[in-house]
């Protein structure tokens, strides 16, 4: 559906889109999402794909105004598919605000989403969403909080012996041992003693003598357990500690990411995928970015020979692409490495689609393997106006034009049609830019595309 208002972007995001349209460069790929503000990354590897769950900072926020959780996925760490809203505050009848940092884990074919929310009574608590599919939708597993602790930032981990742990904490750090059902726990809440040996020394704050602040992320590599966390405040940096078990004892190791960018908070996540190690975080890198309008980013890194995590810098390029993208199978329009101007929305044909398209908006798809050459391009589109065109350009948004697909009006935004155009001189592996052109106002919606040889 189209809105009668102007684009849902903030004015600064719109200005950024206009600026990029007029700059003939290869676009940066960090932050991962440009269609809205995202925060608190929580990636999980499942079925040889990375699924990235995020929070969502509402446009124009001047506090932590967050109402739902979003999902993106990738098989190459460069092009990310938008799966939309997986869960929202409305999922929990007992909550009314603060859809903050959560994490998903799979067990026995079910997916569990642990999130902090504000109860209608005013305190914070941890709820659990559950789904039969990693892409949701998630429903309230309990109808009440799992942990009523007035704290935030849960991280969940299943050890090799099958024991699951749920940590959380600001200002403290606590954990429980989850039962096999993943929606109950055994014993009492265990509070970690925050020592300077375990979590470093913070200067000038007698109430917070250690580095630890919030946002814990528990992971394991070999026989070493890693507790990575937001440290100091404010602005936060990222630090880590290690231990011989999932419950410590913890030994402080050092800095992972220094304070940088326009966000005074940060939130870590660490995964291994296809033989590489990745560090996720958030920044204020998008136009209008701040501590309340954040954006998720990712960097590749290598552990030291002693298992140490190096100091990692924020970049605009992000990690190298793994492999290439196949243009000869159907690709969802909402799969992209970078974009300008557009937004995504729920599609009337199912899934998500790209909408709010105006003149000179574009989508970048990285590392497209055309091989010996494409001969035609097909797109699924709809338009309640007079439509527009999809220009197929290589290398950059004003690069070599290899085809133009004209889109006519279809009578409504939900009446879909398939259009095809010829393509020439598209071969090898190149970045593809889908540039949208036309008159004023919204041009068309875009569901999927595919080349043929």
């Amino acid at each position: 559906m189209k809105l009668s208002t102007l684009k849902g972007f903030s004015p600064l995001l719109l200005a950024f889109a206009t600026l990029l349209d007029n700059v003939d460069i290869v676009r940066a790929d960090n932050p991962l999402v440009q269609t809205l503000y995202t925060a608190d990354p929580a990636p999980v590897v499942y079925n040889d794909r990375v699924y990235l769950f995020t929070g969502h900072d509402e446009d124009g926020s001047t506090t932590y105004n967050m109402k739902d959780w979003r999902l993106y996925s990738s098989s190459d760490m460069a092009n990310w598919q938008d799966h939309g809203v997986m869960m929202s505050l409305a999922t929990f009848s007992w909550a009314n605000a603060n859809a903050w940092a959560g994490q998903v884990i799979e067990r026995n074919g079910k997916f569990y989403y642990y999130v902090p929310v504000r109860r209608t009574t005013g305190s914070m608590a941890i709820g659990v969403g559950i789904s039969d599919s990693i892409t949701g939708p998630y429903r309230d597993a309990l109808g009440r909080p799992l942990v009523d602790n007035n704290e935030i930032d849960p991280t969940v981990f299943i050890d090799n012996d099958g024991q699951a742990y749920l940590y959380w904490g600001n200002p403290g750090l606590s954990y429980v041992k989850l039962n096999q059902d993943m929606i109950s726990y055994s014993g009492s809440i265990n509070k970690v003693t925050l020592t300077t040996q375990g979590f470093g020394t913070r200067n000038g704050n007698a109430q917070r003598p250690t580095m630890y602040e919030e946002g814990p992320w528990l992971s394991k590599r070999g026989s070493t357990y890693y507790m990575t966390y937001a440290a100091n405040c404010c602005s936060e940096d990222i630090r880590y500690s290690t231990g011989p078990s999932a419950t410590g004892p913890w030994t402080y190791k050092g800095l992972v990411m220094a304070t940088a960018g326009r966000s005074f908070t940060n939130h870590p996540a660490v995964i291994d995928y296809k033989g590489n190690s990745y560090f996720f975080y958030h920044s204020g890198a998008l136009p209008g970015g701040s501590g309340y309008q954040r954006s998720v980013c990712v960097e590749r890194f290598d552990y030291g020979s002693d298992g140490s995590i190096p100091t990692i810098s924020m970049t605009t390029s992000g990690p190298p692409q793994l492999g290439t993208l196949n243009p000869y199978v159907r690709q969802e329009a909402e799969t992209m490495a970078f974009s300008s101007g557009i937004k995504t929305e729920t599609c009337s044909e199912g899934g998500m689609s790209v909408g709010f398209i105006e003149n000179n908006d574009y989508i970048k798809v990285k590392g497209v393997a055309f091989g010996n050459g494409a001969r035609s391009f097909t797109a699924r589109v709809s338009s309640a106006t007079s439509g527009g065109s999809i220009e197929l350009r290589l290398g950059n948004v004003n690069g070599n034009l290899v085809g133009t697909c004209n889109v006519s009006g279809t009578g409504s935004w939900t009446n879909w049609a398939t259009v095809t155009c010829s393509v020439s001189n598209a071969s090898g592996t190149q970045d593809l830019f889908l540039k949208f052109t036309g008159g004023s106002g919204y041009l068309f919606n875009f569901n999927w595309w595919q080349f043929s040889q």
Side-chain angles (χ1 to χ4, degrees):
M1 297 288 291
K2 287 290 182 179
L3 300 178
S4 60
T5 57
L6 291 176
K7 280 187 177 175
F9 287 118
S10 67
L12 281 172
L13 278 175
L14 284 172
F16 179 58
T18 302
L19 174 64
L20 285 185
D21 286 339
N22 295 309
V23 180
D24 189 20
I25 59 172
V26 175
R27 279 19 179 210
D29 301 321
N30 255 342
L32 301 182
V33 179
Q34 307 84 41
T35 55
L36 47 76
Y37 295 111
T38 55
D40 304 323
V44 57
V45 178
Y46 178 73
N47 280 352
D48 206 34
R49 192 171 179 90
V50 175
Y51 290 86
L52 174 63
F53 293 83
T54 77
H56 169 211
D57 289 333
E58 297 288 338
D59 284 1
S61 294
T62 56
T63 186
Y64 299 114
N65 183 19
M66 308 174 75
K67 302 175 182 178
D68 54 40
W69 296 269
R70 303 289 176 124
L71 174 61
Y72 305 85
S73 71
S74 178
S75 61
D76 63 8
M77 298 302 293
N79 299 297
W80 292 85
Q81 181 180 350
D82 186 342
H83 297 277
V85 176
M86 294 298 100
M87 196 166 68
S88 71
L89 289 173
T91 303
F92 304 99
S93 61
W94 46 271
N96 63 3
N98 299 354
W100 289 356
Q103 188 179 346
V104 169
I105 201 166
E106 183 270 340
R107 186 164 214 168
N108 298 326
K110 301 284 187 182
F111 299 87
Y112 301 88
Y113 203 164
Y114 301 87
V115 292
V117 290
R118 189 182 73 187
R119 300 193 63 177
T120 53
T121 56
S123 63
M124 294 296 295
I126 295 174
V128 188
I130 187 171
S131 176
D132 296 324
S133 168
I134 194 168
T135 56
Y138 288 78
R139 62 189 184 277
D140 188 353
L142 291 169
R144 56 176 173 78
L146 170 64
V147 182
D148 202 352
N149 58 0
N150 204 28
E151 290 199 38
I152 61 174
D153 293 353
T155 181
V156 61
F157 170 80
I158 301 175
D159 210 346
N160 294 351
D161 62 1
Q163 178 61 60
Y165 298 86
L166 184 72
Y167 273 85
W168 64 83
N170 181 336
L173 179 63
S174 303
Y175 71 90
V176 293
K177 291 184 176 182
L178 294 171
N179 294 326
Q180 284 284 330
D181 63 9
M182 301 298 284
I183 56 173
S184 63
Y185 60 89
S186 298
S188 59
I189 295 175
N190 302 279
K191 190 171 182 63
V192 177
T193 301
L194 297 176
T195 66
T196 55
Q197 180 182 3
F199 295 91
T201 302
R202 185 189 310 210
N203 297 317
N205 189 336
Q207 286 71 44
R208 303 291 288 263
T210 73
M211 294 285 191
Y212 178 85
E213 182 71 22
E214 60 182 353
W217 182 272
L218 179 59
S219 59
K220 184 180 182 182
R221 183 173 183 268
S223 59
T224 302
Y225 296 78
Y226 293 76
M227 184 66 73
T228 313
Y229 46 90
N232 299 307
C233 190
C234 288
S235 297
E236 292 176 344
D237 55 31
I238 303 296
R239 309 266 170 165
Y240 81 108
S241 303
T242 63
S245 78
T247 59
W250 300 105
T251 300
Y252 173 69
K253 291 297 182 179
L255 178 72
V256 176
M257 177 171 279
T259 299
R262 293 192 295 268
S263 174
F264 56 82
T265 69
N266 206 338
H267 192 100
V270 181
I271 61 167
D272 286 336
Y273 179 59
K274 292 185 177 180
N276 297 281
S277 299
Y278 296 95
F279 177 76
F280 291 78
Y281 60 98
H282 67 225
S283 71
L286 284 183
S290 68
Y292 303 119
Q293 294 187 136
R294 299 159 292 182
S295 298
V296 169
C297 303
V298 63
E299 311 292 345
R300 190 182 71 175
F301 74 95
D302 295 313
Y303 287 91
S305 58
D306 58 355
S308 59
I309 300 176
T311 301
I312 301 168
S313 298
M314 298 182 182
T315 74
T316 58
S317 59
Q321 183 175 6
L322 301 176
T324 57
L325 183 136
N326 182 1
Y328 302 117
V329 299
R330 177 172 143 174
Q331 298 289 345
E332 296 300 314
E334 65 275 12
T335 298
M336 59 193 78
F338 205 81
S339 66
S340 173
I342 58 96
K343 288 181 77 72
T344 58
E345 59 188 351
T346 301
C347 181
S348 62
E349 292 193 311
M352 300 289 287
S353 62
V354 172
F356 305 87
I357 295 171
E358 293 181 296
N359 186 45
N360 286 327
D361 291 349
Y362 71 84
I363 291 170
K364 172 188 175 182
V365 186
K366 192 171 184 177
V368 178
F370 292 105
N372 293 330
R375 292 293 175 262
S376 67
F377 173 83
T378 299
R380 187 72 168 166
V381 294
S382 69
S383 177
T385 60
S386 57
S389 297
I390 304 173
E391 295 183 359
L392 309 174
R393 295 185 176 272
L394 303 182
N396 59 68
V397 72
N398 295 314
N400 184 30
L401 179 66
V402 298
T404 301
C405 247
N406 295 319
V407 178
S408 300
T410 64
S412 77
W413 298 116
T414 58
N415 186 29
W416 294 88
T418 302
V419 297
T420 300
C421 57
S422 61
V423 175
S424 60
N425 299 317
S427 60
T429 298
Q430 305 194 52
D431 293 344
L432 168 67
F433 286 75
L434 303 162
K435 184 178 180 180
F436 310 117
T437 58
S440 60
Y442 296 131
L443 304 179
F444 50 86
N445 284 349
F446 187 17
N447 190 1
W448 54 261
W449 59 266
Q450 184 173 343
F451 285 85
S452 63
Q453 291 176 299

